[in-house]
Amino acid sequence: MGLPAIPIVSDLGLDETAKALNTEQIATVVNRILDQETAARFKVYLNTCVHCGLCSDACHWFLSNDRDPRFSPVGKVKQTLWEIIRKKGHVSPEFMKDCSRIAHTECNVCRRCSMYCPFGIDIAYLLLVVRRICHELGMVPQFLQDTVNSHSVTMNQMWVKQDEWIDTLQWQEEEAKGEIKTSRIPLDKEGADVFYSVIAPEPKILAQLIGNIAQIMAVAKVDWTMPSLDGWDNSNMAMYSGDFEIMGRVERAHYESALKLKSRRIVMGECGHAFRGAAYDGPKWLGWREPPIPLIHAVDFYHELLTTGRIKIAKKFETPVTVQEPCNIVRGRGLGQKLREIISMVCEDFRLPEPGLEHNYCCGAGGGTINCGPPWKTSRVKGNRVKAEQLAATKAHIIITPCHNCHSGIEDIISGYKLGMHVKFFSEILMEVMEVPDELKC
Amino acid sequence: MYQFVSGPLVWIAFAVFVGGMVYQFVTMLRLAQKDKVIYPYMSLKYSLRSLFHWIIPFASRNMRARYEVTIVTFIFHICLVLLPIFLLAHVAMFAFAWGAKWCVMSAGAANYMTLAVILACVFFLLRRVMLPEVQFVTYVSDYVLLAIAFAPFVTGFAANRQWFDYETTIIIHMICGSLMLIVIPFTRLSHMLFFPFTRAYMGSEFGAVRNARDW
Ligand code: HEM
Ligand code: SF4
Ligand code: SF4
């Protein structure tokens, strides 16, 4: 078939590892993982798939790459697992490099394809098994591995040290106080109603978001806290590299930190992958059906604040907006309707994306792919042309994206396809339109 | 030859089919225990909700988008399952062997349904050859399995029309039918057994855990 060559990308995490591996080692690891860590789902999915290709139309990678079959969901499984199983794990290091490229960088484990396969085969799960094998072999894109290393050492994703964390919170508290007198960021307060957690990029590069939430909490008069010690970061890149041991440690630390403070519930900032880790992938691995303490996403929380009238809107936002519906909270937790409701409550001109809700396309950055770093950016942006087309069709100016991964991914798409749009978190819009009582104003 | 094929072979085929299905089913249940999440996640309500949306034609988005496949596959599967059960000749043989009887379909209906299965197989074949995304994931075994599903129907059709020597054709037909029954549990044709379970699990995970729809 005359398919275009896949551009060769050099990534030390893959190239150097491949040099050190041999087929025997690969076979040992593959067979150990398949014997010990996979069971009914894996076997039944592989035996049931009738190779019909009906899942193809689900995948933004396939659609954006001019229906190149190598990017279809089942095509990715064929190029990885089917071969691995056919050869009983005796595949070359070069082959494993391709597996990592496919599973880590060309699939967002967004699960859209499970909604298109007539059998409901969970291809994202199958590709996560490939990632798991890659991880056990040390075959992980370097940038992604770095975030996992950071989790392992500091329990957060971006090597934020504890003093930096506390400093940042204090700095943002000062900033917030400059706007709203009663703003506070209560550290380690026991028994608070809300334990608020964020992902490490907030203190590292987007600190104003923490200042924003301090103001929102002050206006809504929420009894809240943040922890001073590890457990404040709810992000989880290990979940995506295939390092499930570290994934489990990170999730446990997050919940323990909230339990230690006897908080009533965890509210997490606007991030989808972090929510996935904390709400279901983490608990799944730890053997919990439900988390030990209620966990809600920012969208749910804002919905509560707006519908109970704790936050009132002074004047609706007028610029036309649309929404990027993050897979991990919409397909992952059914928050699509609530998200649309809060946007309608604060925005005058809300343009719905099509396809929407559970059928929305992934931003292309999720599932850890954006964390694979600059080497893979070109293919990632190319692999999501349909997203650019979908957004452009709304003719909105601003795209509300209640997720950090989506935020960065959509920014890349906007610049890659010259859409001339802007991305904002919901909280940023809320800051502009919420009513601040006079006695709180500075 | 006819004696063996219409007697012991058919019984062996049924025994292997039933035994194989039971074996696959039990293995699945056992393995499902090892997969920690399955039993805790399963929910009857959401299983049924999902099954419902996937056994009714056009009830899911992809079925509407790929309407041609939907139409063909529903006709194919309905005929494929009903035809062998309600065909006069089959029922008569069971009646003869067991004394058990159930209703039969008219010869005309049987004729059209057989044709439908044959045409559907041609459609699946063309799809496989012509669509790059299907071609890419096709192994030789996919053609073989399609042929195995196809064979009992063409041979049955040929026998009924008496295109060739009737006795030879009917023997080949019975061998093909038996072969199909025998391989179902041990190949991808076992999707017949697994379909309700994969759907039920996905429906439960989407519905009960992730509060979302899966169609
Ligand atoms: C009775 C329960 C069964 C169910 C629920 C079922 C369901 C399905 C589904 C959902 C597909 C997906 C692809 C498509 O729609 O084309 C499929 C394909 C197919 N099934 Fe079944 N099936 C059943 C029984 C069988 C049996 C008994 C056979 C043959 C012995 C069979 C042969 C096939 C074939 C040949 C395909 C097409 C594969 C291709 O694209 O080439 N099915 N089935
Ligand atoms: S990116 Fe999403 S739709 Fe594509 S294969 Fe991965 S999980 Fe499926
Ligand atoms: S739609 Fe399902 S059965 Fe068909 S190829 Fe894709 S995963 Fe396999």
Side-chain angles (χ1 to χ4, degrees):
Chain A
M1 256 184 293
L3 294 170
I6 304 259
I8 293 173
V9 172
S10 65
D11 184 315
L12 289 180
L14 310 187
D15 302 340
E16 292 301 313
T17 311
K19 285 185 200 154
L21 281 176
N22 64 44
T23 300
E24 280 315 307
Q25 289 167 321
I26 297 173
T28 314
V29 168
V30 165
N31 291 317
R32 175 163 56 76
I33 299 287
L34 297 189
D35 285 348
Q36 294 176 6
E37 297 188 13
T38 68
R41 279 183 297 164
F42 188 80
K43 307 255 150 50
V44 171
Y45 289 156
L46 288 175
N47 289 339
T48 303
C49 172
V50 292
H51 305 181
C52 65
L54 286 171
C55 46
S56 307
D57 289 324
C59 187
H60 49 286
W61 286 88
F62 172 77
L63 298 172
S64 303
N65 282 292
D66 301 320
R67 308 183 70 82
D68 182 332
R70 290 169 298 182
F71 292 96
S72 86
V74 62
K76 295 176 209 181
V77 178
K78 179 206 161 169
Q79 293 170 86
T80 55
L81 276 181
W82 292 0
E83 280 303 299
I84 291 178
I85 288 172
R86 217 159 61 118
K87 299 198 170 134
K88 302 201 164 54
H90 293 271
V91 292
S92 68
E94 283 300 310
F95 180 87
M96 286 312 298
K97 257 172 72 175
D98 285 336
C99 287
S100 171
R101 167 177 56 78
I102 294 165
H104 281 118
T105 82
E106 293 169 357
C107 168
N108 300 97
V109 291
C110 73
R111 289 205 171 106
R112 194 169 190 262
C113 42
S114 320
M115 302 173 68
Y116 284 70
C117 168
F119 297 99
I121 290 176
D122 193 346
I123 287 166
Y125 161 76
L126 295 176
L127 289 168
L128 280 170
V129 174
V130 177
R131 290 186 184 193
R132 174 72 173 159
I133 294 171
C134 288
H135 152 73
E136 292 285 288
L137 290 165
M139 188 68 92
V140 176
Q142 192 188 21
F143 279 81
L144 180 60
Q145 187 58 47
D146 181 70
T147 60
V148 179
N149 295 349
S150 170
H151 275 305
S152 146
V153 176
T154 65
M155 291 314 251
N156 72 70
Q157 190 200 135
M158 288 197 148
W159 304 99
V160 179
K161 296 200 220 77
Q162 201 205 349
D163 55 339
E164 293 169 349
W165 164 243
I166 296 176
D167 264 2
T168 309
L169 295 186
Q170 287 179 340
W171 161 46
Q172 283 305 317
E173 186 178 77
E174 287 303 314
E175 297 281 316
K177 271 184 183 160
E179 303 291 330
I180 288 172
K181 274 189 262 179
T182 51
S183 302
R184 289 270 289 118
I185 300 184
L187 280 186
D188 295 333
K189 180 178 175 202
E190 273 199 14
D193 178 42
V194 167
F195 172 100
Y196 188 74
S197 61
V198 295
I199 75 171
E202 294 204 8
K204 194 85 177 180
I205 47 180
L206 291 162
Q208 76 280 8
L209 292 177
I210 301 180
N212 287 353
I213 195 74
Q215 295 183 45
I216 293 172
M217 295 290 197
V219 171
K221 299 198 175 65
V222 175
D223 173 22
W224 71 301
T225 187
M226 288 181 101
S228 64
L229 291 170
D230 292 346
W232 54 266
D233 181 9
N234 53 32
S235 73
N236 203 328
M237 284 305 145
M239 158 174 80
Y240 286 146
S241 75
D243 194 340
F244 301 148
E245 286 78 11
I246 291 184
M247 168 182 83
R249 268 178 63 207
V250 170
E251 293 309 334
R252 198 184 281 277
H254 181 222
Y255 282 111
E256 277 175 356
S257 153
L259 287 168
K260 238 180 270 164
L261 294 178
K262 306 187 175 63
S263 310
R264 268 195 284 282
R265 55 185 176 153
I266 299 177
V267 172
M268 52 197 298
E270 294 177 57
C271 187
H273 101 270
F275 187 68
R276 172 187 190 142
Y280 39 92
D281 279 24
K284 229 185 210 181
W285 172 261
L286 291 166
W288 305 336
R289 187 180 189 282
E290 295 294 332
I293 146 172
L295 166 95
I296 66 171
H297 186 267
V299 164
D300 228 341
F301 185 59
Y302 293 134
H303 190 267
E304 177 187 316
L305 296 184
L306 286 165
T307 49
T308 54
R310 293 172 80 177
I311 296 258
K312 294 193 182 63
I313 303 304
K315 184 173 185 313
K316 280 192 171 184
F317 193 77
E318 279 167 3
T319 318
V321 300
T322 185
V323 64
Q324 157 59 19
E325 294 165 295
C327 305
N328 287 323
I329 65 167
V330 171
R331 191 153 41 249
R333 200 59 154 193
L335 289 178
Q337 216 57 50
K338 279 189 175 164
L339 175 56
R340 289 179 170 205
E341 280 167 32
I342 58 174
I343 294 176
S344 305
M345 279 186 249
V346 303
C347 298
E348 203 74 71
D349 183 357
F350 174 27
R351 320 241 168 122
L352 298 179
E354 172 51 40
L357 295 173
E358 283 97 334
H359 287 276
N360 189 38
Y361 295 124
C362 170
C363 62
T369 51
I370 195 168
N371 304 78
C372 297
W376 304 98
K377 183 174 162 185
T378 311
S379 69
R380 171 163 58 79
V381 172
K382 179 165 178 269
N384 212 355
R385 193 184 65 216
V386 287
K387 180 91 256 166
E389 290 163 0
Q390 180 200 30
L391 292 173
T394 65
K395 299 199 170 59
H397 298 179
I398 287 179
I399 305 157
I400 299 179
T401 50
C403 168
H404 278 277
N405 269 305
C406 296
H407 198 93
S408 319
I410 299 292
E411 270 176 351
D412 289 343
I413 298 220
I414 290 175
S415 62
Y417 294 92
K418 308 213 168 21
L419 298 183
M421 301 164 113
H422 297 279
V423 193
K424 277 189 190 294
F425 288 104
F426 182 78
S427 62
E428 293 177 289
I429 308 269
L430 195 60
M431 287 296 292
E432 291 187 33
V433 301
M434 76 178 168
E435 188 180 290
V436 179
D438 285 336
E439 69 273 18
L440 299 187
K441 284 189 186 148
C442 288
Chain B
M1 185 68 178
Y2 181 84
Q3 290 303 323
F4 171 74
V5 170
S6 67
L9 181 66
V10 172
W11 291 119
I12 292 169
F14 269 106
V16 174
F17 173 73
V18 173
M21 289 299 227
V22 170
Y23 168 77
Q24 293 288 10
F25 180 67
V26 172
T27 311
M28 180 187 75
L29 291 187
R30 204 172 42 77
L31 282 173
Q33 253 162 358
K34 202 177 144 201
D35 238 336
K36 289 181 294 197
V37 293
I38 295 187
Y39 291 118
Y41 279 13
M42 284 307 254
S43 136
L44 183 64
K45 173 175 155 201
Y46 292 111
S47 297
L48 293 177
R49 185 179 80 164
S50 177
L51 274 166
F52 186 76
H53 281 94
W54 286 93
I55 53 168
I56 299 198
F58 305 111
S60 70
R61 188 181 174 107
N62 204 21
M63 280 200 247
R64 292 190 291 274
R66 289 259 150 250
Y67 59 89
E68 71 294 348
V69 180
T70 308
I71 295 171
V72 174
T73 205
F74 271 93
I75 295 178
F76 169 78
H77 281 96
I78 291 170
C79 296
L80 180 100
V81 174
L82 295 187
L83 200 54
I85 302 180
F86 297 109
L87 192 75
L88 176 64
H90 289 184
V91 177
M93 286 187 75
F94 275 99
F96 187 65
W98 279 0
K101 270 194 234 130
W102 52 92
C103 56
V104 297
M105 60 176 63
S106 75
N111 200 25
Y112 285 119
M113 284 169 83
T114 316
L115 260 178
V117 172
I118 292 172
L119 292 177
C121 285
V122 173
F123 171 84
F124 286 136
L125 180 70
L126 290 177
R127 226 185 135 251
R128 212 163 260 299
V129 178
M130 285 163 59
L131 292 185
E133 70 267 30
V134 191
Q135 175 66 67
F136 185 70
V137 293
T138 295
Y139 284 169
V140 175
S141 59
D142 291 296
Y143 294 117
V144 174
L145 289 176
L146 192 58
I148 289 177
F150 177 69
F153 295 88
V154 249
T155 51
F157 196 70
N160 183 257
R161 292 295 171 97
Q162 312 227 348
W163 284 343
F164 312 102
D165 170 49
Y166 180 77
E167 184 152 326
T168 319
T169 322
I170 207 73
I171 287 175
I172 295 174
H173 169 70
M174 286 191 282
I175 292 174
C176 291
S178 305
L179 183 68
M180 179 176 110
L181 280 176
I182 290 169
V183 302
I184 287 177
F186 307 103
T187 59
R188 286 191 286 285
L189 295 179
S190 60
H191 69 267
M192 177 185 182
L193 169 70
F194 292 129
F195 173 83
F197 301 103
T198 53
R199 270 269 58 102
Y201 176 72
M202 220 359 129
S204 301
E205 196 182 312
F206 263 80
V209 182
R210 301 205 249 126
N211 195 22
R213 294 172 302 179
D214 67 332
W215 57 87

